[in-house]
């Protein structure tokens, strides 16, 4: 067997993951607003679709495309509850992406193209206690306390002079109780729940289990995981 044929064999059974778009959405919000961001999101969808086709033509067959998480629920982007306008814009983008991926599945024989992350994260933000967490929209590492523990003037781990006082955004002692780490990113505990949902195929569209492609040791936790389980999950993929 030649080196080239060996490479093609392994590339052909590999999983290709795409997780882009969130920074495109959030990075320009302060400057051009939601309407401005929405104008170029179709370009992001088009680039993802083109990249899938390019990799498919090289030999790739299985693609995991993560859509946008509910950014409007991150403490950094709202004032009271989840920002409906942000989340609605994301849903519009996610639906656009879903349709593009549906068309891509129809056009590429024997390709598996699946996606989702939004629904899992939204569930965690809205119902943290259902998953043995306490805080959905409160940052673990931040400053200010209250419902959100986030201050735009000082980000996680940083110290800044504010009104004559040195203020430091410090981490909480129980991050496993939080969905949001620093107001903009999820905690390890939240990410483990998301990973579990992706690995078992329960929150991908269309349903698809990665066990078909990978040897995955049971991680011992489902979407409805426990606090202790969050601390000790181990996963092996080979």
């Amino acid at each position: 067997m030649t080196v080239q044929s060996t490479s093609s064999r392994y590339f052909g059974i590999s999983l290709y993951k795409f997780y882009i778009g969130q920074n495109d959405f959030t990075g320009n919000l302060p400057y051009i607003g939601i309407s401005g961001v929405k104008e170029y999101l179709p370009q992001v969808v088009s680039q993802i679709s083109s990249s899938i086709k390019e990799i498919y033509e090289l030999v790739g067959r299985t693609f995991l495309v993560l859509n946008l998480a509910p950014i409007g629920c991150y403490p950094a982007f709202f004032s009271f509850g989840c920002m409906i306008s942000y989340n609605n814009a994301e849903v519009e983008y996610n639906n656009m992406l879903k349709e593009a991926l549906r068309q891509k599945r129809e056009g590429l024989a024997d390709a598996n193209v699946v996606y989702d992350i939004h629904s899992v994260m939204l569930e965690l933000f809205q119902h943290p206690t259902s998953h043995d967490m306490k805080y959905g929209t409160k940052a673990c590492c931040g400053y200010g306390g209250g419902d959100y523990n986030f201050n735009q003037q000082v980000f996680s781990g940083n110290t800044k002079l504010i009104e004559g006082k040195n203020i430091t955004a410090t981490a909480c002692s129980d991050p496993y109780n939080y969905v949001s780490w620093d107001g903009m990113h999820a905690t390890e505990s939240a990410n483990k729940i998301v990973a579990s949902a992706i690995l078992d195929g329960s929150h991908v569209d269309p349903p698809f289990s990665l066990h078909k492609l990978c040897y995955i040791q049971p991680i011992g936790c489902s979407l409805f995981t426990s606090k202790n389980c969050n601390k000790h999950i181990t996963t092996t993929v080979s």
Side-chain angles (χ1 to χ4, degrees), residues 200-218:
D200 67 23
S202 64
H203 280 69
V204 297
D205 180 44
F208 182 86
S209 175
L210 293 185
H211 288 270
K212 294 180 180 179
L213 296 176
C214 312
Y215 171 70
I216 306 174
Q217 294 182 0

Side-chain angles (χ1 to χ4, degrees), residues 27-110:
N28 288 310
L29 273 174
Y31 310 106
I32 60 177
I34 294 177
S35 60
V37 169
K38 288 169 64 175
E39 287 184 5
Y40 68 79
L41 286 180
Q43 299 176 29
V44 179
V45 173
S46 177
Q47 185 62 52
I48 293 173
S49 183
S50 298
S51 297
I52 290 174
K53 186 175 185 296
E54 183 177 351
I55 296 174
Y56 176 87
E57 291 174 346
L58 291 173
V59 78
R61 288 297 181 270
T62 303
F63 306 89
L64 172 62
V65 184
L66 301 184
N67 56 6
L68 294 183
I71 295 170
C73 293
Y74 282 94
F77 299 107
F78 67 82
S79 299
F80 302 100
C82 294
M83 282 198 70
I84 296 176
S85 59
Y86 284 14
N87 283 348
N88 284 347
E90 284 187 343
V91 169
E92 183 177 331
Y93 165 83
N94 289 341
N95 287 338
M96 190 188 316
L97 177 62
K98 181 177 181 179
E99 174 59 20
L101 296 182
R102 184 193 67 77
Q103 294 178 15
K104 190 59 62 179
R105 280 194 298 272
E106 291 181 352
L108 301 179
D110 70 351

Side-chain angles (χ1 to χ4, degrees), residues 181-236:
W181 166 245
D182 60 357
M184 293 177 286
H185 303 92
T187 59
E188 180 179 0
S189 295
N191 280 327
K192 285 177 178 177
I193 295 176
V194 172
S196 176
I198 291 174
L199 291 173
D200 67 23
S202 64
H203 280 69
V204 297
D205 180 44
F208 182 86
S209 175
L210 293 185
H211 288 270
K212 294 180 180 179
L213 296 176
C214 312
Y215 171 70
I216 306 174
Q217 294 182 0
I219 63 177
C221 304
S222 67
L223 178 63
F224 302 94
T225 189
S226 69
K227 190 180 304 181
N228 289 332
C229 189
N230 270 335
K231 298 177 181 177
H232 303 294
I233 294 178
T234 56
T235 305
T236 301

Side-chain angles (χ1 to χ4, degrees), residues 94-172:
N94 289 341
N95 287 338
M96 190 188 316
L97 177 62
K98 181 177 181 179
E99 174 59 20
L101 296 182
R102 184 193 67 77
Q103 294 178 15
K104 190 59 62 179
R105 280 194 298 272
E106 291 181 352
L108 301 179
D110 70 351
N112 298 296
V113 185
V114 298
Y115 94 117
D116 199 17
I117 188 177
H118 185 278
S119 61
V120 186
M121 288 301 300
L122 186 61
E123 165 67 18
L124 292 178
F125 279 126
Q126 294 181 334
H127 308 289
T129 57
S130 297
H131 309 287
D132 292 320
M133 293 177 163
K134 292 183 179 180
Y135 311 106
T137 54
K138 181 178 182 177
C140 165
C141 188
Y143 175 78
D147 292 334
Y148 311 120
N149 192 38
F150 183 84
N151 188 312
Q152 290 279 3
Q153 298 182 74
V154 55
F155 293 99
S156 62
N158 292 324
T159 298
K160 190 173 181 179
L161 185 65
I162 300 176
E163 297 181 356
K165 297 174 61 176
N166 278 323
I167 302 300
T168 302
T170 57
C172 61

